[in-house]
Amino acid sequence: MSSQPAHPTLLIPGPIEFDDAVLQSMGHYSESHVAAGFVATFGETLTLLRQLFQTTNPASQPFVINGSGTLGWDLVAVNLVEPGEDALVLSTGYFGDGFADCLRAYGANVTKLDGPIGGRPQVADVEKALKEKKYKILTVTHVDTSTGVLSDIKSIAAAVKKVSPETLVIVDGVCSVACEELAFDEWGLDGVVTAGQKAIGCPAGQSISMFSGRAIQVVQNRKTEPATYFASMKRWLPIMQNYEAKKPSYFATPSPQLVHALNTALKQILSKPLSERFSKHIEVSDRVKKTVTDMGLKIVATKPEDQSHAMTAIYLPEGVAIPDVLPKLLSKGIIFAGGIHKEIGTKYIRFGHMGITAVDPRRNDVDKALEALKTALGECGYKA
Amino acid sequence: MSSQPAHPTLLIPGPIEFDDAVLQSMGHYSESHVAAGFVATFGETLTLLRQLFQTTNPASQPFVINGSGTLGWDLVAVNLVEPGEDALVLSTGYFGDGFADCLRAYGANVTKLDGPIGGRPQVADVEKALKEKKYKILTVTHVDTSTGVLSDIKSIAAAVKKVSPETLVIVDGVCSVACEELAFDEWGLDGVVTAGQKAIGCPAGQSISMFSGRAIQVVQNRKTEPATYFASMKRWLPIMQNYEAKKPSYFATPSPQLVHALNTALKQILSKPLSERFSKHIEVSDRVKKTVTDMGLKIVATKPEDQSHAMTAIYLPEGVAIPDVLPKLLSKGIIFAGGIHKEIGTKYIRFGHMGITAVDPRRNDVDKALEALKTALGECGYKA
């Protein structure tokens, strides 16, 4: 158990609550980034990521780089697309729009397919777009943290394989990796970018990604050099390969403490079958969604098949504002997040139910949160 | 005191040994990156950085961004220089060369002035170069971690002010901030980029920098948009300003744990006058250099005025190889680093004596290390 003082339960869609063992790994004594002990830990961590992403293809390449989850977008935008090349971005909210902005910043020619608010672009529309133009990459946000909309990655990847097999399929998995089913090899993905502080359950500070052998080939065969230094996959590639082969290597100093924390988090996750973990997240998510619907509230992600199992974005009742309800929740020891959608951001709140909150049976986070929500809304004058 | 098991003393030129309170801050319970408590801590941390860099000019702007120290080069290269513009890079080793590579990756037209091995470019040569061409920026590595060569930032900045006042003066302070005198305002610097894991004494994972109001103006007045997303100073600027004003703000998720650790480290550093800290580093460095010279060893940085106080790069005696001496040091509980200079890398070792190793009187790191070095070299057959 933690020696930390009691603190409110953090149930935003990331950062999430962290396990005590993960936090203790953050305080690991100082090590050289090229010493045998740390090299072994980093190498093992990279190998564990292969399991998490469900890839056994030796050509797949994991990357762990100091940065925020956002850095994953830059990795994709500067390494896999050359200026002037076409990218198809499927957007289901703020983060899909952000990925498009990032691609544009590096000179990609972006076509954005937007889902309706609370929904996702349909596979038929994606197929139609792919037939109209040859795209270098397609990007899709698995769970858009702004709306809680889930994308159907398997069907989209299948559509790309059918209509435009040369197009690289890139998934923003920041809010999905380690809680939503994501089968890198089986679905034929070319890149998944994520971060530690959501369902993986590791403090923020690392960009974590997996790229296919095909994506690595695209990087190696570019016509132009990518205009970046720190985000250059070509520079990081031998470093990651060396670490995984337990050989010291240097490009920029990793954070040994964050790598230890990620190692601990991954071992906890992989100590049980992933299928069990995904089922548990579905079970918890279903319970949350049923309870808030029973309270007469509406969920931002409209259709059940479009709803993520990582989080729930919940419309507030008429007359209840975010600045009223969040402090009332905090007074009951619960932290939710406000909305961040450009059109409806002030109208809803977000409840993250990932990681130990969903899978640790010793915790009572979800029930406590649902009870607190009911009471807080009552205090705001709302009757279910 | 630490509850960690005993571990060898890490005396490489970064990461360094960390204080227990700093490591404990790394295990801080999870917080929202936009909650009042964390916003206050981050805001205070940014303000503390102004003290550390010795700037009271309100136009100066600190940045703390998840990443490695290397990301600071990217910040400079993509934001302050437009493709095709001229940069003058003063190099005193591996890291000066790296900064030049980074600038070139973004399209800068780089002129590199190299010091001799173990030395630095002379101020007269810098003035001559500045007279020959109008440079957008000059970059200089304060302490090159590869060689332990110290640059005379004050004189170089004065030369720029005299000969080419429009040229921005940018310092790579990764291995100097918090151990070498560096007066941002007084010397008229436009940018200093650094990282936590050296003399600041905070685990790796953050790019820490300070830019002048003039540098920020250059970013704001660019003719072209910088081709980056995560490293865009324009995107980070309002975020940093909001945090320091204690207002929540979001672009990419910071690491609350690393920010807490940095906050703790900065408060420790700033609890005493900086001048005392710099003197202590000089005193320790002088002792190291005298002892190794008395042992008959040569220091890579040839002239006393070119020698950094952060670290000492020491040539091994004839016939003693790095793979012989480092394991012998480790068996005595001491970790030094090998060389990383392209021409002489196999011929020397590096001893970092920064942070708590230099200033914490309860520790005995330096004497233990010097004694271990003497014994280890003796075991390798060397007689002083």
Side-chain angles (χ1 to χ4, degrees):
Chain A
M1 302 301 284
S2 173
S3 62
Q4 306 273 7
H7 64 273
T9 306
L10 189 61
L11 298 176
I12 66 174
I16 67 167
E17 285 287 315
F18 303 129
D19 187 86
D20 291 343
V22 172
L23 286 178
Q24 278 158 15
S25 300
M26 289 288 285
H28 197 285
Y29 62 80
S30 195
E31 287 174 300
S32 166
H33 48 301
V34 291
F38 173 68
V39 171
T41 300
F42 198 173
E44 182 187 57
T45 304
L46 292 166
T47 302
L48 291 169
L49 284 174
R50 295 178 186 272
Q51 283 183 57
L52 179 67
F53 286 80
Q54 304 192 54
T55 175
T56 56
N57 187 332
S60 299
Q61 182 58 52
F63 292 81
V64 174
I65 304 174
N66 287 345
S68 304
T70 304
L71 181 62
W73 293 347
D74 288 70
L75 288 182
V76 170
V78 73
N79 290 290
L80 298 182
V81 189
E82 302 194 44
E85 289 185 337
D86 293 298
L88 180 62
V89 174
L90 312 190
S91 178
T92 47
Y94 180 95
F95 291 92
D97 292 353
F99 207 156
D101 285 345
C102 177
L103 284 156
R104 284 191 203 103
Y106 285 99
N109 183 21
V110 173
T111 302
K112 189 155 70 78
L113 266 190
D114 292 302
I117 291 175
R120 58 197 189 192
Q122 295 304 297
V123 173
D125 296 329
V126 177
E127 289 193 3
K128 186 162 165 281
L130 290 169
K131 281 172 190 162
E132 284 166 1
K133 199 191 265 189
K134 183 60 79 189
Y135 289 97
K136 181 75 171 287
I137 64 167
L138 170 146
T139 75
V140 51
T141 313
H142 198 176
V143 172
D144 201 295
T145 315
S146 69
T147 56
V149 170
L150 176 74
S151 291
D152 179 357
I153 305 298
K154 187 179 180 178
S155 298
I156 290 164
V160 176
K161 298 290 166 258
K162 190 176 73 178
V163 181
S164 178
E166 305 81 9
T167 301
L168 298 174
V169 179
I170 306 295
V171 177
D172 175 342
V174 168
C175 195
S176 77
V177 168
C179 67
E180 302 282 3
E181 173 74 30
L182 186 68
F184 195 87
D185 286 356
E186 194 189 319
W187 297 355
L189 307 180
D190 291 297
V192 177
V193 298
T194 190
Q197 74 273 14
K198 307 218 182 209
I200 293 175
C202 174
Q206 292 173 323
S207 158
I208 300 164
S209 54
M210 184 70 69
F211 290 96
S212 68
R214 195 166 77 135
I216 299 295
Q217 278 308 310
V218 165
V219 176
Q220 304 281 23
N221 298 335
R222 285 176 62 104
K223 295 184 292 287
T224 59
E225 280 301 307
T228 185
Y229 191 75
F230 185 65
S232 166
M233 281 168 61
K234 225 185 253 185
R235 291 184 188 271
W236 281 113
L237 182 64
I239 309 298
M240 296 296 145
Q241 289 172 336
N242 282 338
Y243 270 113
E244 205 171 355
K246 310 290 162 75
K247 287 188 276 192
S249 197
Y250 175 72
F251 168 52
T253 310
S255 177
Q257 284 71 18
L258 281 171
V259 170
H260 274 283
L262 178 58
N263 187 278
T264 301
L266 291 174
K267 282 182 178 161
Q268 288 181 347
I269 291 170
L270 297 167
S271 67
K272 291 183 182 172
L274 280 174
S275 57
E276 201 175 290
R277 185 175 179 87
F278 300 145
S279 299
K280 195 74 196 164
H281 278 85
I282 292 173
E283 182 190 315
V284 166
S285 173
D286 286 352
R287 184 150 55 89
V288 168
K289 282 159 179 89
K290 182 175 185 313
T291 307
V292 299
T293 306
D294 287 351
M295 285 165 66
L297 302 173
K298 274 178 64 186
I299 292 168
V300 172
T302 321
K303 300 178 194 164
E305 65 269 27
D306 293 359
Q307 293 170 349
S308 93
H309 310 98
M311 58 172 285
T312 307
I314 308 163
Y315 280 113
L316 290 173
E318 276 297 323
V320 177
I322 293 175
D324 296 329
V325 74
L326 291 190
K328 289 194 168 64
L329 283 166
L330 180 58
S331 73
K332 294 158 193 42
I334 296 294
I335 301 179
F336 280 4
I340 49 165
H341 189 282
K342 63 186 169 196
E343 289 173 53
I344 57 164
T346 58
K347 298 185 179 171
Y348 69 98
I349 54 175
R350 293 175 298 150
F351 173 6
H353 32 76
M354 285 170 267
I356 56 171
T357 284
V359 305
D360 185 338
R362 296 169 304 176
R363 300 180 71 101
N364 191 31
D365 295 351
V366 172
D367 290 332
K368 204 175 103 185
L370 288 169
E371 193 56 39
L373 178 62
K374 201 172 191 173
T375 313
L377 289 178
E379 288 167 11
C380 290
Y382 175 74
K383 273 186 196 137
Chain B
M1 300 302 284
S2 172
S3 61
Q4 304 275 7
H7 63 273
T9 306
L10 188 62
L11 299 175
I12 66 174
I16 68 167
E17 285 287 315
F18 303 129
D19 187 86
D20 291 342
V22 173
L23 287 178
Q24 279 158 14
S25 299
M26 289 289 284
H28 196 285
Y29 62 79
S30 194
E31 286 174 300
S32 166
H33 48 300
V34 291
F38 174 68
V39 170
T41 301
F42 197 174
E44 182 187 58
T45 304
L46 292 166
T47 302
L48 291 169
L49 284 174
R50 295 178 187 272
Q51 283 183 56
L52 179 68
F53 286 81
Q54 304 193 54
T55 175
T56 56
N57 187 333
S60 298
Q61 182 59 50
F63 291 81
V64 174
I65 304 173
N66 287 345
S68 303
T70 303
L71 180 62
W73 293 347
D74 288 69
L75 288 182
V76 170
V78 73
N79 291 290
L80 298 182
V81 190
E82 302 194 44
E85 289 185 336
D86 292 298
L88 180 62
V89 174
L90 313 189
S91 179
T92 47
Y94 180 94
F95 291 93
D97 292 352
F99 207 156
D101 286 344
C102 177
L103 284 156
R104 285 191 202 102
Y106 287 99
N109 182 21
V110 173
T111 302
K112 190 155 68 80
L113 267 191
D114 291 303
I117 291 174
R120 59 196 188 193
Q122 295 304 297
V123 174
D125 296 329
V126 176
E127 290 193 2
K128 185 161 166 282
L130 290 169
K131 282 172 190 161
E132 284 167 2
K133 199 191 266 190
K134 182 61 79 189
Y135 290 97
K136 180 76 171 286
I137 65 167
L138 170 147
T139 74
V140 51
T141 314
H142 198 175
V143 172
D144 200 295
T145 315
S146 70
T147 55
V149 170
L150 177 74
S151 290
D152 179 357
I153 304 299
K154 187 180 181 178
S155 300
I156 289 163
V160 176
K161 299 289 167 259
K162 190 176 73 177
V163 181
S164 178
E166 305 80 11
T167 301
L168 299 174
V169 179
I170 306 295
V171 178
D172 176 342
V174 167
C175 195
S176 77
V177 168
C179 68
E180 302 283 2
E181 173 73 30
L182 186 68
F184 195 86
D185 286 356
E186 194 190 320
W187 296 356
L189 307 180
D190 291 298
V192 177
V193 298
T194 189
Q197 74 274 13
K198 308 220 180 204
I200 293 175
C202 174
Q206 292 172 322
S207 158
I208 299 165
S209 54
M210 185 70 69
F211 290 97
S212 68
R214 197 166 77 133
I216 298 295
Q217 280 306 310
V218 166
V219 175
Q220 304 281 22
N221 299 334
R222 285 176 63 105
K223 295 184 292 287
T224 58
E225 281 300 307
T228 184
Y229 190 76
F230 186 65
S232 166
M233 282 168 61
K234 226 184 252 185
R235 290 183 188 271
W236 281 113
L237 182 63
I239 308 298
M240 296 297 144
Q241 290 173 336
N242 283 337
Y243 269 114
E244 204 171 356
K246 311 290 162 78
K247 287 187 276 191
S249 198
Y250 175 73
F251 168 52
T253 310
S255 178
Q257 284 71 19
L258 281 170
V259 170
H260 274 284
L262 178 58
N263 186 279
T264 301
L266 290 174
K267 281 181 179 161
Q268 288 181 348
I269 290 170
L270 296 167
S271 67
K272 291 183 183 172
L274 280 174
S275 57
E276 203 175 288
R277 185 176 180 87
F278 299 145
S279 300
K280 195 73 197 163
H281 278 87
I282 291 173
E283 182 191 316
V284 166
S285 173
D286 286 352
R287 184 150 54 89
V288 168
K289 283 161 178 86
K290 184 177 182 312
T291 307
V292 300
T293 306
D294 287 350
M295 284 164 67
L297 302 174
K298 274 180 63 185
I299 292 168
V300 172
T302 321
K303 301 177 193 164
E305 65 269 28
D306 294 359
Q307 293 170 350
S308 95
H309 309 99
M311 57 172 287
T312 307
I314 308 162
Y315 280 113
L316 290 173
E318 276 295 324
V320 177
I322 293 175
D324 296 329
V325 74
L326 292 189
K328 291 195 165 62
L329 283 166
L330 180 58
S331 73
K332 294 156 192 45
I334 297 292
I335 302 178
F336 280 3
I340 49 165
H341 189 281
K342 63 186 170 195
E343 289 173 52
I344 57 165
T346 58
K347 298 186 177 169
Y348 68 98
I349 53 176
R350 293 175 297 150
F351 174 7
H353 32 77
M354 285 170 267
I356 56 172
T357 284
V359 304
D360 185 338
R362 296 169 304 175
R363 301 180 71 100
N364 191 31
D365 295 350
V366 171
D367 290 332
K368 204 175 102 182
L370 288 168
E371 193 56 40
L373 178 62
K374 201 172 191 172
T375 312
L377 288 176
E379 288 167 11
C380 291
Y382 175 73
K383 273 186 197 136

